[in-house]
Amino acid sequence: MTLTGTVLDEIIVGVREDLAARRAEVPLAAVEERAAATAPARDARASLAGDGTTMGLIAEVKRRSPSKGALSEIPEPAVLAAAYAGAGASAISVLTEERRFGGTLADLDAVRARVEVPVLRKDFVVDPYQVTEARAHGADLVLLIVAALDDALLRDLHDQITGLGMQALVETHTEEEVERALALGADIVGVNARNLRTLDVDLDRAAALLRRIPAGPLAIGESAVAGVADVEAYAAAGADAVLVGEALVTTDDPAREAAAFRAVTRRGRPQQDGESR
């Protein structure tokens, strides 16, 4: 698959340039050595699944975004992450892309050192080096964006992630991408309400795609959450958890909001055509 002239393209160009600089500074062998010495990854899927009664929450450390610009300075990401964890967040998402999102691997290090819940490295992963980096910096979960990867690379990166003991959040936005994620055997499938090619947001479309995910994989609703009503809409569509950044980092009380999102009742996946009751 070739992407041309999209926001996603532009982001990935910068990601590759920054990756080349890090690779020149820190050889892969050094990253592999650090990864091998890192404590085993936590079980993010189990944490997100919880007891099945209320929504799981991936609470995000997010300073800015291409669509909204600056959101929050977050001078101490570990403090914010600890507040999320204290409010019952199932996992913490840490943006590590610097140019558009203002994140760094140092943020990931700080959060990992502070919280015991699983941590997601959220970035535009397009190279095996980044997966090894994620493990070296203590990530338990790694984002893979289907729209950014062809099938061969998607499978290779997914296999590498699981081979290192981590889990992958495989993000989709279209019916075709959902089918690709399911064909991969993804255990955690995200549906992003935001189209990374245009930055348009459509929660209704995301809800329709979530309903296409069969029982088995965890289904994660991403983006378009401004309040509890949006989490409830994701729950009604069968999401097991939501990933929320902007609504948490722009509120006066992130812990209160996180707790409110976590309290939403999970509904279960709507029955698929042909499934027996």
Side-chain angles (χ1 to χ4, degrees):
M1 173 173 51
T2 301
L3 303 174
T4 58
T6 69
V7 175
L8 182 59
D9 275 335
E10 295 170 7
I11 292 173
I12 289 175
V13 168
V15 165
R16 289 190 182 280
E17 290 174 356
D18 294 342
L19 171 60
R22 293 199 306 278
R23 198 196 304 265
E25 183 176 348
V26 184
L28 177 59
V31 182
E32 289 175 333
E33 183 176 354
R34 176 172 174 175
T38 301
R42 294 160 174 79
D43 189 342
R45 190 190 194 286
S47 185
L48 289 167
D51 64 5
T53 61
T54 61
M55 290 289 279
L57 172 66
I58 306 175
E60 192 155 83
V61 176
K62 183 177 188 179
R63 293 190 176 90
R64 60 176 186 260
S65 75
S67 60
K68 296 292 183 69
L71 299 172
S72 178
E73 292 186 5
I74 312 181
E76 296 184 83
V79 172
L80 177 60
Y84 288 155
S90 314
I92 310 298
S93 170
V94 182
L95 266 301
T96 58
E97 196 281 332
E98 187 166 5
R99 297 191 186 199
R100 300 294 187 100
F101 293 90
T104 67
L105 285 165
D107 293 339
L108 185 59
D109 289 336
V111 170
R112 173 71 293 155
R114 184 66 177 269
V115 301
E116 292 301 321
V117 296
V119 174
L120 164 70
R121 182 189 184 179
K122 193 177 181 192
D123 208 319
F124 298 79
V125 174
V126 293
D127 188 280
Y129 183 97
Q130 293 168 285
V131 174
T132 308
E133 261 185 339
R135 184 80 284 269
H137 289 268
D140 310 292
L141 189 62
V142 179
L143 182 71
L144 293 179
I145 300 172
V146 173
L149 304 165
D150 62 31
D151 283 338
L153 184 54
L154 176 62
R155 184 165 296 280
D156 286 348
L157 294 174
H158 187 272
D159 288 349
Q160 182 187 6
I161 288 166
T162 57
L164 288 171
M166 298 182 290
Q167 294 162 319
L169 168 55
V170 182
E171 179 180 294
T172 66
H173 178 72
T174 66
E175 290 181 13
E176 184 241 353
E177 290 173 10
V178 170
E179 292 305 315
R180 291 176 63 201
L182 295 176
L184 178 70
D187 204 29
I188 308 174
V189 179
V191 174
N192 197 339
R194 187 180 304 282
N195 184 336
L196 293 179
R197 295 184 174 94
T198 65
L199 302 185
D200 294 335
V201 174
D202 188 340
L203 196 154
D204 289 338
R205 178 173 175 77
L209 291 175
L210 282 163
R211 294 186 183 100
R212 297 180 66 87
I213 299 172
L218 286 185
I220 314 298
E222 304 177 35
S223 299
V225 172
V228 168
D230 299 316
V231 180
E232 290 174 340
Y234 272 128
D240 300 294
V242 289
L243 190 158
V244 186
E246 181 182 341
L248 292 174
V249 301
T250 58
T251 185
D252 292 336
D253 193 340
R256 180 190 61 207
E257 287 296 291
F261 295 161
R262 277 284 284 128
V264 171
T265 300
R266 195 178 302 183
R267 308 280 188 85
R269 203 93 76 251
Q271 184 175 332
Q272 304 288 309
D273 290 342
E275 285 185 351
S276 61
R277 292 185 182 277

